[in-house]
Amino acid sequence: MKINITILLLILLVAADAGAQEAISIERARQMAIENNQSLKIAAKTIEKAGAERKAMRANYLPSVSGSATAAYLSNEFNEELYLPSFKPDPVTGQLVPDIFYHPVTGLPVYGPDGNPIFNSYAYMPLEISLKGAYMAGINVQQPIFTGGKIVTGNRMADIGEKMAQENHTLQQMNTIAETDQAYWIFVSVGEKVKLAQQAVSMLDSLVQRVKHGVETGLVHQNELLKVQVKYNNATLDLQKAKSGLELARMSLCRVIGLPFETKIVATDTIIEYTNGLLSAFGTEDVTQRPEYSLMSKQVTMEEEQIKLKRADFLPTLGLSAGYSYLGGIKFGDNTLASDGFNVMASLKIPLFHWGEGKNKIASARISKEIKELELEKNSQLLQLETEQAKLNLKDALLRIQICEKALEQASSNLKLSKDRHELGAELMTDLLIAQTQWQESFSNLIEAKADFKIKETNYLRVAARLKP
């Protein structure tokens, strides 16, 4: 009964371990990488930011409304006694003229010690002003009429910025897919190498048992057994190295697709297929379709807008504003003053002379644009060179597979022949071990060649702007 329970527990543990594994195809790996890649998340946020900036720039076309309020409290009151001169109507014109005192003898105006003329009479006016509760509030509407093209240029730059953010997101997607494909196919190839190493160990283990039997019967020398055992030990070590490499490849793939490092992954696309269909598309590549080129081209366009923006700083600006204000809380003697009203103002600013500042700033902006144009030309050539290199790498990868397949076929035939000859006693153990090593190396080279082809294929699609999510 205890034995049955133990077996049941082992079965459950194996089932649980198998359930913890995650089967992932290349398409699923790409999808998970796109969903979890931090650079893509940043690029997506950049698009949102550019969209918000574009909407903010659109608001500059519309009038802005602002409110204001001011309160004042002065502890000291303004108290003053004023004596105001009097006026009288002119007998001829009827207009009010100063009622100046004239000397009865000379008939000339009489001046006081302060140099001011003396009047016949004065009006007494006590002045008391209090600002202990004065306030002013209002609302104002401003509408730009002409700003030298700043608003229009700013909106165009915002549109370009949003398109650049979208191109950058596309570029990050392509780079993420390329990185995912590389990690996936390396994981697959290392997994196949582990299987190959296990097969080699199994073959050598069988050979060790057969040679042991030959030594025991006296048909084989002890030295032959030692040779096989050394080879077996090396193969066992190679198997362990391959398993360690598989663990590193698995963790690398987990990092790319956003899974915890301890996640057990099972690749479902273990059969690496290859075709030469892409070779027929060679010569149809267009670097202008790549997001890298589009980004650089838009940088040139952005510099063109910068020239217009600098020029706008030295053009006339015209604006219109209208508002309503209310003033109250001012005490004048025993009375409280209050006033309100509407106002409309137009503002015109015309730059006249700035000692060549505008000319030099515009020249600087033009030079920046020329620099971007030169960078576009240089990088366009580099992109074309990268495309040509990717094409050559893909052709070489395909040729490498064909050579490795032929080599494996020959190594397999040689191994079979060597086994037959060794069993008949017509071949040395050393020759058999060499044949088996050649077969294993040929098989390993073919696995590497196929994985390398898939990676080169993805890279070609990326540089040809055909790698779509």
Side-chain angles (χ1 to χ4, degrees), residues 270-284:
T270 55
I271 299 177
I272 304 177
E273 298 179 352
Y274 65 95
T275 62
N276 59 357
L278 283 179
L279 273 60
S280 61
F282 283 4
T284 61

Side-chain angles (χ1 to χ4, degrees), residues 253-439:
L253 181 57
C254 286
R255 180 193 64 82
V256 172
I257 63 180
L259 290 177
F261 282 170
E262 62 273 10
T263 306
K264 300 300 181 182
I265 297 177
V266 177
T268 59
D269 296 327
T270 55
I271 299 177
I272 304 177
E273 298 179 352
Y274 65 95
T275 62
N276 59 357
L278 283 179
L279 273 60
S280 61
F282 283 4
T284 61
E285 303 85 5
D286 184 4
V287 295
T288 62
Q289 300 300 314
R290 292 182 59 173
E292 297 96 324
Y293 183 91
S294 182
L295 280 170
M296 292 184 292
S297 178
K298 285 180 173 57
Q299 287 176 353
V300 175
T301 307
M302 189 72 82
E303 292 299 332
E304 291 178 354
E305 299 300 327
Q306 281 287 354
I307 296 175
K308 299 175 184 177
L309 199 62
K310 295 297 182 183
R311 186 181 293 114
D313 289 335
F314 301 92
L315 293 177
T317 57
L318 175 64
L320 184 66
S321 65
Y324 170 81
S325 59
Y326 182 86
L327 177 66
I330 301 176
K331 290 188 176 181
F332 191 83
D334 294 333
N335 299 319
T336 300
L337 298 181
S339 176
D340 65 334
F342 291 93
N343 61 80
V344 178
M345 292 184 292
S347 174
L348 176 65
K349 179 183 177 182
I350 304 176
L352 297 178
F353 187 69
H354 293 274
W355 302 97
E357 178 187 3
K359 177 182 177 182
N360 291 322
K361 284 188 174 181
I362 294 172
S364 175
R366 284 201 181 101
I367 294 172
S368 296
K369 177 198 169 187
E370 292 171 359
I371 292 173
K372 292 298 181 183
E373 288 175 337
L374 291 172
E375 290 178 350
L376 175 61
E377 182 179 357
K378 180 191 74 172
N379 291 321
S380 296
Q381 296 175 350
L382 293 176
L383 292 177
Q384 184 65 40
L385 183 61
E386 185 182 19
T387 303
E388 295 300 323
Q389 183 180 7
K391 290 161 62 177
L392 292 174
N393 290 341
L394 186 60
K395 290 174 64 177
D396 291 345
L398 180 61
L399 179 61
R400 181 185 175 189
I401 290 177
Q402 295 170 349
I403 293 174
C404 288
E405 285 179 336
K406 186 175 182 181
L408 177 59
E409 181 181 354
Q410 294 172 344
S412 299
S413 299
N414 183 50
L415 178 59
K416 183 179 183 303
L417 181 60
S418 183
K419 284 182 179 179
D420 294 340
R421 288 174 58 83
H422 181 266
E423 290 176 358
L424 296 174
E427 187 167 299
L428 298 175
M429 177 62 67
T430 305
D431 295 331
L432 176 59
L433 294 177
I434 291 174
Q436 184 168 332
T437 301
Q438 291 175 342
W439 172 83

Side-chain angles (χ1 to χ4, degrees), residues 13 17 52 86 125 146 171 206 245 270 347 404 413:
L13 287 173
D17 183 66
S86 59
M125 181 179 176
F146 179 73
L171 175 61
S206 299
T270 55
S347 174
C404 288
S413 299

